[in-house]
Amino acid sequence: MKSRHLVLAFAVSLLAPLAPASSPTAAPSGEKLTFVLVHGATAGGWEWKSTGAHLLADGHTVYRATLTGLGERMHLNSPDIDLKTHIDDVVNLILFEDLHDVVLTGHSYGGMVITGVMDRIPERLRHVVYLDAAVPGDGMSIWDIFGGDQPRDTTRFVDGFMQVPWVGPDAKPPHSVKHSIKCFNQPVSYKNPAALDLQVTYVAFVPKDQSIEERAARDKSWQRAESRGWTIRTFPGGHVAQQEDPRGVASLIVESVGDRNKAVAERKTNAP
């Protein structure tokens, strides 16, 4: 999976400030949940296959979204695909499958997508989990999170796509594919009051060769999540920990459903 780590290396720039991980809270005992899992840049629903299988084995309902132009939908790839297209993909999945009380989970670039979904249909969501994912503010693009309006390594962005040159024409699926640049420079909306009141967990994946403090010192998304009163958790592993330890990540997501935002709890307690 070295190539997968390379294509998602830009996500390291998403990593945020020094803050302690929250203590785990009790998971809903024996409750069967509905999960919608959203992958990161250049990937597809295939990235969630093993984690999804563990959730299914535990009796939960699982939808592994594949965003337009990626994964098994690569035949639809186009430089005209943007972030809104991918938000529409997940919104329509939830609406057309008539899903309610969804545990919406996004990884890496998927954090941009689930933010837009939260803003659009918060009434369909029970809990949101950002797994090593981008946490944007209202009106921010993923480039804004990086601190600029364009990629740092422009040689990897050609003909309207972020390229994955190590994936050859004879590569057997599943594998990463090129990804439209418009997904990275389009801003997302995050201002719906109902979205702001959703219960959210932010999970930072921490590799063995890095301390939590080192990881946190670079993590702007962690900082933004903490400022919102979201629950902060850490999990040992690289950026694609859901593939390294699918059982562990599946259990983590389920446990996260019991997390409660500090800000939301305090606001409701102090309400007249």
Side-chain angles (χ1 to χ4, degrees):
M1 299 305 298
K2 289 183 178 179
S3 63
R4 184 76 184 107
H5 283 281
L6 287 171
V7 75
L8 289 171
F10 72 83
V12 173
S13 299
L14 307 178
L15 313 180
L18 181 58
S22 297
S23 299
T25 54
S29 178
E31 186 177 0
K32 302 311 177 186
L33 304 166
T34 298
F35 295 91
V36 172
L37 309 176
V38 182
H39 60 82
T42 78
W46 58 266
E47 188 179 58
W48 286 105
K49 187 172 183 180
S50 296
T51 300
H54 286 296
L55 293 170
L56 287 168
D58 292 340
H60 303 295
T61 299
V62 179
Y63 291 84
R64 294 184 286 119
T66 291
L67 305 174
T68 299
L70 306 176
E72 73 274 14
R73 305 178 70 192
M74 63 181 293
H75 58 288
L76 300 175
N77 215 338
S78 162
D80 293 327
I81 292 170
D82 57 18
L83 176 59
K84 183 180 181 300
T85 307
H86 290 164
I87 294 169
D88 288 342
D89 286 334
V90 180
V91 167
N92 287 334
L93 167 62
I94 292 171
L95 294 180
F96 279 80
E97 291 291 341
D98 196 21
L99 305 181
H100 298 265
D101 294 323
V102 171
V103 181
L104 180 64
T105 302
H107 172 246
S108 193
Y109 161 77
M112 299 296 298
V113 178
I114 65 173
T115 299
V117 176
M118 292 166 68
D119 201 66
R120 291 264 300 276
I121 52 169
E123 71 280 0
R124 295 294 184 112
L125 308 179
R126 171 172 175 170
H127 200 92
V128 183
V129 183
Y130 284 72
L131 286 180
D132 228 38
V135 179
D138 180 51
M140 293 181 68
S141 71
I142 203 165
W143 293 151
D144 293 326
I145 294 176
F146 296 158
D149 59 359
Q150 60 184 342
R152 294 176 182 178
D153 182 4
T154 56
T155 63
R156 288 178 51 201
F157 294 79
V158 182
D159 298 329
F161 291 98
M162 180 172 75
Q163 303 287 347
V164 282
W166 52 86
V167 178
D170 298 325
K172 294 182 179 179
H175 57 69
S176 293
V177 303
K178 60 187 181 182
H179 192 135
S180 171
I181 294 175
K182 287 186 177 181
C183 297
F184 307 132
N185 59 28
Q186 186 175 48
V188 69
S189 176
Y190 181 65
K191 56 189 176 184
N192 185 334
L196 303 181
D197 273 349
L198 287 170
Q199 302 294 338
V200 187
T201 301
Y202 177 78
V203 181
F205 293 157
V206 183
K208 292 180 180 179
D209 61 352
Q210 189 178 79
S211 69
I212 291 176
E213 290 77 14
E214 290 171 328
R215 161 61 208 266
R218 307 200 316 268
D219 194 339
K220 301 302 181 184
S221 288
W222 184 337
Q223 183 176 28
R224 193 169 291 109
E226 187 182 34
S227 71
R228 295 174 182 173
W230 295 356
T231 299
I232 307 295
R233 289 174 175 255
T234 60
F235 186 84
H239 185 56
V240 287
Q242 72 273 26
Q243 293 184 61
E244 299 164 4
D245 183 6
R247 171 73 272 179
V249 170
S251 298
L252 170 72
I253 298 170
V254 174
E255 291 170 3
S256 296
V257 178
D259 294 342
R260 292 295 174 265
N261 298 358
K262 295 177 183 177
V264 172
E266 291 172 358
R267 189 159 59 247
K268 290 183 177 180
T269 299
N270 297 327

